Every structure is written in C-alpha cells, then in structure tokens.
Amino acid sequence: MKTLPATLSFSIYACSFLVGGVLMGFEMLGSRYLFPYFGGGIGTWASLISTVLCALAIGYFAGSAIVARHPTQRAIALAILIAAAYLACVPATADPVMETILNSLGDGPSATLLASTALLLVPLTLLGTFSPIAVSLLTRSADEAGRVAGLVYGVSTIGNVVGTLLTTFLLIPTVGSRAITYYFAVVLAVCAGALLLNPIKRSA
C-alpha cells in the first residue's frame, strides 16, 4: 500500500491549480502570438480552442497509459519540466515559425491550425497528462477514487478560470507576451521541483 506524505499531497493539489492556470493562460497568450500574422478573428480562436482540446485529449490518453504502467510523481514532474522548457523556447522561436507558416500557407484555416498546433500542442499535451496521474497517486482505495478525481479536476478547473482571467485582464495589458511566457515556464519548473521533494513511501 502506498503512503502519501502530506506535503506531497498538498504539492499535487497546488500543482493541479498552477498547471491549470498556466494551461489556460498560455492559450489566451497564444492569441497574442498569432494575432500579428493571422489576426484575432473567430477562425484564429477556433484553431486555438480546437488545438487545446486535442492536446488535452491526447494528454489524458497518455496519462491513462502511464497510470497503467508506472505512475509516479517523477513521471508528471518530467512532463511538466519538458513543457516548461518548451515554453521557455517559444519567445525566441515563435516569430520565425509564424512567418514561415504565413509565407507557405497564407492566413487561411490550415495555416491558423498549423500555427496553433506548433505553439500549443506539445506543451499542453504534456500538461494534460497531469490529472490522470495525479488522481492515481492520490487515490488509496477504490472507494475514494471518485472523490479524489472530483477534487483534482475541480482544483484544476479553478486554476483554468484564474489563469484565463489573470492573463487576459492583468498580465497581457501590463506585461509583454514574451515575459509572461517566461513566467509561465518558471511556474511550471517550480511545480516540477515541488513534486520531487517528497518520494512516495510504500509499505506492505
């Protein structure tokens, strides 16, 4: 049976909130990266939202596969850390990538979908693995599985709301998009570090 330290349990829930915030915050920020090249119309938003949903679906499936094999806090920490590294590279690479897509495909649906995919798919897929693995780590018996899943996804959704509003109404008007991206990368790196502080102890 696994014994989850209280500090690790708290870290998982806290990271669920923060990862949820970064996830939706970066989606909102994605519109700022795409706007100079593809505009901010409904087509751009449809591409962004579709990409986010696809990334989450892939992440949930991947997370469930990890749960079936070797669910540990190190697995989600590694996924979050790679997502942080990806975000840290975005400010320097976004413009050349967007220009290449615009010059090759124009500004139609295929271009906005490809641009959204290049920007969001990898990091948000990695972040999408968090919740299934977190539920597995926090669940000690079948009886509490539903309660734990509800808590994890509820906390994550609150983070989604906070990340959306904070990014849209505070960060974007006052801080440059590239600086915000770096801040998000730092938040994710801190989350990854927090998940590695306390190992799960197993007892017979």
Side-chain angles (χ1 to χ4, degrees), residues 39-204:
I42 192 170
T44 298
W45 276 106
S47 297
L48 286 167
I49 294 169
S50 298
T51 302
V52 170
L53 293 175
C54 287
L56 290 177
I58 296 169
Y60 294 154
F61 285 128
S64 66
I66 294 171
V67 166
R69 290 170 174 78
H70 190 57
T72 66
Q73 77 271 24
R74 289 181 177 83
I76 45 178
L78 180 60
I80 293 172
L81 194 59
I82 296 172
Y86 193 100
L87 261 60
C89 294
V90 166
T93 59
D95 285 334
V97 171
M98 299 302 151
E99 288 177 4
T100 299
I101 294 172
L102 180 65
N103 292 335
S104 301
L105 300 177
D107 59 358
S110 61
T112 56
L113 278 170
L114 181 59
S116 299
T117 298
L119 187 67
L120 300 175
L121 187 67
V122 170
L124 299 196
T125 294
L126 290 166
L127 297 182
T129 65
F130 180 93
S131 292
I133 304 173
V135 170
S136 175
L137 292 175
L138 292 165
T139 301
R140 291 171 294 181
S141 68
D143 292 338
E144 65 178 16
R147 179 182 64 83
V148 170
L151 283 172
V152 170
Y153 282 95
V155 169
S156 177
T157 301
I158 293 172
N160 292 157
V161 175
V162 172
T164 299
L165 297 177
L166 185 67
T167 303
T168 302
F169 295 113
L170 180 62
L171 294 180
I172 289 177
T174 59
V175 183
S177 298
R178 285 160 177 75
I180 299 170
T181 307
Y182 287 129
Y183 294 157
F184 284 165
V186 170
V187 169
L188 293 180
V190 170
C191 286
L195 291 170
L196 297 175
L197 288 177
N198 295 288
I200 293 177
K201 298 175 183 178
R202 297 188 179 272
S203 57

